[in-house]
Amino acid sequence: MKTLKNIFIVGLAAMALAPAVQAEHVTIIAVNDTHSQIDPASDNKGGALRRRAIYDKVRSENKYTMTLHAGDAVQGNVYFSLYGGAVEYAVIDSLGYDAVIWGNHEMDNGIDSTYHYYKNVKAELLSANYDFSDTKMAGLVKPYMIKAFGDKRVAVMGINVQPAGLVSDKNCKGLRYLPSIDVADATAKYLKEVQKVDYVVMLSHIGYVSDAPGEPNDQDVVKSSHYIDLVIGGHSHSTVKPGTPEATVMNADGKPITVGQNGKWGKIVSTYDLDLETGKVVYNQIAVDKTWDEAAKKYVAMDNWLKPYRQGVDSLMNLPVSESARAMKNSEAPLQNWVSDASLEIIRKISGVKKVDCAIMNKGGIRVNMPEGMVSEGLIGSMFPFDNRYVVLEITGQGLIDALKVMAGRGGDCVSKELSATFNDKGELLTAKINGKNIDPKKIYNVATIDYLANGGDYMQSFKDAKRLWVDEVKYGDHILDYVKELKAAGKKINGADGWRMVKK
């Protein structure tokens, strides 16, 4: 006969031999700033079919998953120039996203245009700090979503960038922005204390670093927060590598919070393994490269659906229009100098304005690199995809200096050869000259630019206040396309001058 003592001992032994109960986990799959990169980029990285293969593999290996996109699904590729979002927004559902948030480029064709596509997207559309009440998007966008995984509840809230100074007024008409830091922590607190969620994920499109001084970024939000448990970011195109100090930011209570971001163009997919018992996050990144091609072959229906769109893109990408003397990166001086000098030459020719002193362009408007050799019509379209027009502004010297101060604050920008400036490591303007002479604050200058900057984009308020002498009616990228064709006809190659014209001292 078994004694109570024996039963107790046997029970302890059985407990020792039984496997430990594993805590439940949810794996969050995330990308950001894919920018219409449906096919692999020129370096054979990225591609929607490859991303789908990665997503499906991660989903098959994990009991609980969520798939998120942190904004800017569109713009920067011929797919968007030709089809206006029809491909990218359909792909969102093909890839099975649970939630997406707005990027600033979602508004490049205006809110009404985005609504046309967004109304059909099955994924949850999130933004806690954009009030769409006075737009067509009213009722379509939610501040957050909540998902249950076993007995735990995880909330995802969307936090978006300040559109003023970044998005043309006409493209965000009716949208009201609410301060991101205030809304993020208040919403997270509400989710924890009222909705009784266990964890709050901030899906963000404000940047790991700020666009402009005073604008909050992901790190600022975390440092002021008590309730956010994980940040999945976008907008700044930062590649925040797992295991580095940059991937952890201390919150207002001194708690380490994981903050991640994947660069741009969908070349990296991140996974965040969230332990639902402890709240610990394990952050990882997966390269989207040719090793996923075999797995992607099974998506025959999706590939066939893409074919007619791809044919339209390929017809332009394979149509030669000019030649480049050398490879030039969009982040480096030669290509930025070429764009500014070419734009000034074009505007002087077509504007009818007798005297145009210089040209100022934005480096963010040059979306891809210039290769050596053959340059296609599609490449020019991808390089200058925005629906902007050339403008000539009449501006005071002080207004021009103020514009250069803003440009210096972000490390310089594209200026034609007539302009030169220096700034210090704090981004403070030190000198500003035209044709070797100091800019006179009281003198009037005529400056060539694009309407995005003339409307105050990239925080160029002094340009917005300036007088418009001339505004073109044709997309500036079309003029650049004609310009490079003329170079080819004249036996000349595309080439930019070396050396920065805005120099840090």
Side-chain angles (χ1 to χ4, degrees), residues 98 127 358 365 415 428:
D98 293 283
S127 177
C358 60
V415 299
E428 298 168 335

Side-chain angles (χ1 to χ4, degrees), residues 208 219 240-250 256-259 283:
Y208 183 82
Q219 298 175 78
V240 183
K241 295 183 179 180
T244 63
E246 290 75 23
T248 302
V249 179
M250 296 298 176
I257 303 297
T258 297
V259 179
Y283 173 33

Side-chain angles (χ1 to χ4, degrees), residues 25-28 242 258 271-275 279-284:
H25 292 242
V26 59
T27 299
I28 301 171
T258 297
T271 60
Y272 303 83
D273 181 271
L274 172 61
D275 186 318
K280 181 181 178 181
V281 175
V282 177
Y283 173 33
N284 188 31

Side-chain angles (χ1 to χ4, degrees), residues 79-99:
Y79 273 97
F80 190 66
S81 302
L82 287 178
Y83 308 118
V87 179
E88 298 89 324
Y89 293 125
V91 165
I92 282 174
D93 285 335
S94 295
L95 271 60
Y97 289 96
D98 293 283

